[in-house]
Amino acid sequence: MEYALVTGGSKGIGYAVARMLASRGYSLLVTYGHDVARAMESKTLLEEAGSPSVEMFEVDQTSPTAANDLVGLIGGRVSELCAVVLNAGVTLRENFGQIDPKHWEDVFAANIHFPTFFLQEIAPQLPKGASVVFTGSLMGVHPHGTSLAYGVTKSATHALVKNLVKFLSPFGVRVNGVAPGFVDTEWQKDKPAEIRASIESKTALGRFCTPEEVAGAYAFLLENPYMNGEILVIDGGYSYK
């Protein structure tokens, strides 16, 4: 049985990726943050989408034990993980002059420390040919005034992908990243109309990406055996207009 792990897979981009993997017949291991009701709803929908098995795990990635905790939860199935999608992350919207050091550290813990040390634990057990895909961000490419911590950690995510190639290649494991632009998830749909219009005016295609479109980028990186160490930006031509 082929397993795929998707962190933060109960909603948004993570859910779209999990649904894509379900349609390809993967058994799924999915983490979520705290919304149990949404996690159970997503489990049902992923099973209906074609996954033969869906297991949901509540994981707080800001916890210093989160990486080891998840390794313990998925247990012996690590050796069957053909796809690992490290999607979950947190943001911080405090003004620059008011950033709390603990909140700043939590963003780095969730977005950088957790995936690094999780891979440290599981890499030797992954099957040869396994593929890892990180979720980066357009905010790691273009500076943005909304969240300093998020932008910096997503830049670090992109660097982590490229550096991990050296460390995962001895195990026969590929690693890539997707840097989505503005995707029509629940979070983006709550933006005021004038802000959405401003974003659309800066995008060559004139609209937000659908979750299904961005999931296709993950599918390409997971399935193409020659993609390694790449950050695939999917932003509809943001800044080209």
Side-chain angles (χ1 to χ4, degrees), residues 5 9 18 26 40 42 48-49 59 71 104 115 124 138 140 153 170 175 205 228:
L5 169 70
Y26 282 90
M40 294 304 103
S42 296
E48 292 174 352
V59 176
V71 173
W104 175 272
L138 189 63
T153 56
V175 56
L205 291 180
N228 202 18

Side-chain angles (χ1 to χ4, degrees), residues 81-195:
L81 274 180
C82 298
V84 177
V85 178
L86 296 168
N87 166 74
V90 301
T91 189
L92 176 64
R93 294 185 174 280
E94 294 171 350
N95 292 329
F96 177 63
Q98 300 173 318
I99 294 175
D100 183 290
K102 176 60 169 63
H103 297 164
W104 175 272
E105 291 168 5
D106 283 346
V107 179
F108 275 82
N111 297 359
I112 298 299
H113 304 335
F114 168 82
T116 299
F117 293 106
F118 178 68
L119 286 176
Q120 181 189 66
E121 290 291 324
I122 70 167
Q125 304 174 56
L126 292 175
K128 187 174 182 180
S131 180
V132 177
V133 179
F134 280 77
T135 296
S137 174
L138 189 63
M139 287 179 66
V141 179
H142 297 289
H144 198 282
T146 303
S147 174
L148 179 63
Y150 189 78
V152 171
T153 56
K154 289 305 179 179
S155 294
T157 297
H158 300 172
L160 183 59
V161 166
K162 292 185 175 295
N163 281 270
L164 279 172
V165 171
K166 298 283 189 181
F167 297 92
L168 297 185
S169 62
F171 304 110
V173 174
R174 296 182 298 109
V175 56
N176 293 284
V178 176
F182 294 90
V183 183
D184 244 339
T185 60
E186 296 93 330
W187 182 68
Q188 294 289 4
K189 288 177 180 177
D190 289 337
K191 285 186 181 300
E194 62 272 18
I195 294 178

Side-chain angles (χ1 to χ4, degrees), residues 29 55 57 59 65-78 114 118 121-122 125:
L29 308 173
E55 297 178 65
F57 305 105
V59 176
T65 66
N68 284 332
D69 291 345
L70 182 56
V71 173
L73 288 170
I74 63 180
R77 286 157 295 191
V78 172
F114 168 82
F118 178 68
E121 290 291 324
I122 70 167
Q125 304 174 56

